[in-house]
């Protein structure tokens, strides 16, 4: 919790300082609400969510004298209420042998790192995990996944640069099944500048793994870099159309003033947020906890 709080300090300091400026002790009137709404919008909560939060606040406190601590507490409650329904832990069904998790997102979002962190988490629980280096376009991505494989003692299925990602995913699933592994993570390319190609590639991966297990993939995780702020919305929309996202992971919440975007995403898409990234190390992945996040964000 304290790591999360310090990680989110950039997001929260903006909100906190702003609230402090607005409400030393002040009547919660239309003008105050409007200023608060603006502050929430500039803190990346987005127009619709900011309006919703302010409205809820007005319902209970309109016309009353409030100070910044009261505003923060109520705000944290309202934000927590928006986040609670999406705070859903990842729950692999290990009896599937393997439970297949396809990981998608734009280049640099943190897919490979998140896979490494999750592999570490499940290995520590004694689970067997296979990693598939499906971002066959970038040699560096393959190398990076191999490093995580060594670190976590997981087999990595990889091919030469430019190889067919779907074929690789098919083989990786066959390997994992043969071994009776608990989990298979499939890394993918994130070349959004070539949307049609990427979509075809992701569709093909899904199609071929279904030949072995028609229920797979069991999760499609979209990894989003929180520092892109409002751009995250269009990434959710694009990847949802391409491949049917089942849950989100938000990364880089340690280095950004834009943690508020998570609230806006939760409000708009209601997709489960399974975990958040707060650093580059294996241990820097946290289950997403609504209240702790809301309190850290508000400061
Ligand atoms: P990919 O292209 O989506 O696979 O992204 P990578 O996993 O290669 O990550 C891109 C960069 O972001 C790397 O330098 C990672 O170390 C870094 N990164 C990933 N997650 C986090 C995070 O939660 N916090 C920070 N600070 N850096 C991260």
């Amino acid at each position: 919790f304290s790591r999360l709080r310090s990680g989110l300090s950039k997001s929260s300091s903006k909100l906190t300082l702003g609230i402090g400026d607005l409400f030393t002790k002040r009547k919660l009137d239309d003008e105050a609400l409007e200023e608060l709404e603006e502050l929430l919008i500039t803190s990346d909560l987005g127009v619709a969510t900011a309006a919703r939060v302010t409205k809820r606040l007005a319902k209970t406190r309109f016309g009353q004298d409030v100070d910044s601590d009261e505003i923060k507490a109520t705000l944290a409650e309202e934000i927590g209420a928006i986040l609670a329904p999406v705070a859903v832990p990842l729950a692999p069904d290990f009896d599937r042998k393997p439970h297949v998790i396809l990981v998608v997102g734009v280049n640099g979002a943190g897919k490979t790192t998140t896979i490494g962190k999750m592999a570490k988490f499940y290995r520590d629980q004694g689970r067997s995990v296979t990693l598939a280096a499906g971002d066959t376009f970038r040699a560096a991505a393959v190398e990076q996944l191999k490093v995580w494989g060594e670190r976590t003692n997981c087999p990595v299925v990889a091919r030469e640069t430019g190889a067919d990602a779907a074929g690789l995913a098919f083989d990786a699933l066959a390997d994992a099944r043969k071994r009776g592994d608990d989990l298979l993570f499939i890394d993918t390319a994130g070349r959004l500048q070539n949307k049609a190609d990427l979509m075809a590639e992701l569709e093909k991966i899904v199609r071929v793994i279904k030949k072995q297990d028609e229920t797979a993939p069991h999760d499609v995780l979209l990894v989003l870099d929180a520092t892109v702020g409002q751009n995250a919305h269009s990434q959710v929309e694009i990847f949802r159309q391409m491949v049917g996202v089942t849950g989100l992971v938000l990364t880089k919440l340690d280095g950004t003033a834009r943690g508020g975007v998570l609230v806006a995403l939760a409000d708009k898409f209601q997709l489960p947020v399974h975990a958040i990234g707060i650093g580059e190390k294996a241990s820097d992945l946290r289950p997403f906890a609504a209240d702790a996040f809301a309190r850290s964000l508000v400061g």
Side-chain angles (χ1 to χ4, degrees):
F1 184 46
S2 69
R3 285 280 315 279
L4 174 64
R5 175 163 291 215
S6 69
L8 277 175
S9 61
K10 284 203 190 125
S11 300
S12 64
S13 62
K14 184 170 181 188
L15 254 181
T16 307
L17 292 177
I19 293 169
D21 282 350
L22 285 181
F23 295 94
T24 29
K25 185 94 189 168
R26 179 173 176 185
K27 198 186 183 95
L28 191 63
D29 55 15
D30 283 326
E31 194 193 338
L33 282 168
E34 207 167 292
E35 285 171 32
L36 181 64
E37 189 172 337
E38 236 176 83
L39 177 66
L40 293 173
I41 292 170
T42 57
S43 303
D44 275 306
L45 267 75
V47 177
T49 309
R52 208 147 92 95
V53 170
T54 338
K55 217 187 217 162
R56 287 169 71 151
L57 195 69
K59 223 174 180 175
T60 50
R61 307 302 301 264
F62 190 80
Q64 296 175 18
D65 280 336
V66 286
D67 63 24
S68 59
D69 283 343
E70 287 173 286
I71 289 292
K72 277 191 242 170
T74 318
L75 208 53
E77 240 170 72
E78 299 300 352
I79 289 174
I82 291 174
L83 296 179
V86 303
V88 182
L90 198 61
D93 179 353
F94 298 115
D95 291 337
R96 287 184 172 129
K97 298 225 174 292
H99 183 95
V100 180
I101 301 181
L102 186 68
V103 181
V104 302
V106 302
N107 284 340
K111 292 181 295 295
T112 310
T113 310
T114 300
I115 291 173
K117 290 170 175 175
M118 288 189 165
K120 162 91 169 94
F121 175 81
Y122 288 109
R123 289 291 292 137
D124 285 351
Q125 294 187 355
R127 296 294 173 185
S128 49
V129 181
T130 291
L131 310 178
D135 185 356
T136 53
F137 263 80
R138 294 186 305 162
V142 176
E143 285 315 310
Q144 202 192 336
L145 197 69
K146 283 182 180 167
V147 170
W148 278 107
E150 275 166 32
R151 227 180 254 167
T152 55
N153 203 11
C154 296
V156 178
V157 181
R159 296 250 180 95
E160 71 283 8
T161 311
D164 176 40
L168 176 133
F170 186 89
D171 289 351
L173 178 52
D175 280 4
R177 289 182 90 175
K178 222 185 296 165
R179 279 192 291 272
D181 279 351
D182 296 314
L183 271 174
L184 168 65
F185 285 99
I186 304 174
D187 201 358
T188 62
R191 294 158 288 125
L192 213 48
Q193 57 281 16
N194 242 323
K195 253 185 253 173
D197 286 354
L198 181 58
M199 184 160 174
E201 182 167 312
L202 294 175
E203 279 174 354
K204 192 172 167 195
I205 291 175
V206 170
R207 201 165 63 236
V208 303
I209 59 178
K210 278 191 190 304
K211 289 185 179 169
Q212 290 182 63
D213 179 351
E214 64 182 22
T215 67
H218 305 104
D219 284 293
V220 180
L221 292 189
L222 172 59
V223 177
L224 296 169
D225 172 348
T227 63
V228 304
Q230 297 301 307
N231 274 339
H233 290 259
S234 59
Q235 291 181 17
V236 175
E237 262 152 14
I238 289 167
F239 278 96
R240 264 215 313 202
Q241 276 171 13
M242 281 192 190
V243 69
V245 172
T246 62
L248 307 178
V249 174
L250 267 94
T251 65
K252 308 188 196 179
L253 280 161
D254 47 307
T256 181
R258 320 202 72 169
V261 72
L262 199 156
V263 184
L265 291 174
D267 199 23
K268 183 165 172 191
F269 296 106
Q270 268 115 49
L271 279 165
V273 178
H274 294 306
I276 56 174
I278 54 165
E280 302 190 69
K281 293 197 302 293
S283 55
D284 291 336
L285 190 76
R286 293 281 179 282
F288 176 60
D291 279 346
F293 190 91
R295 275 182 286 141
S296 303
L297 187 65
V298 174

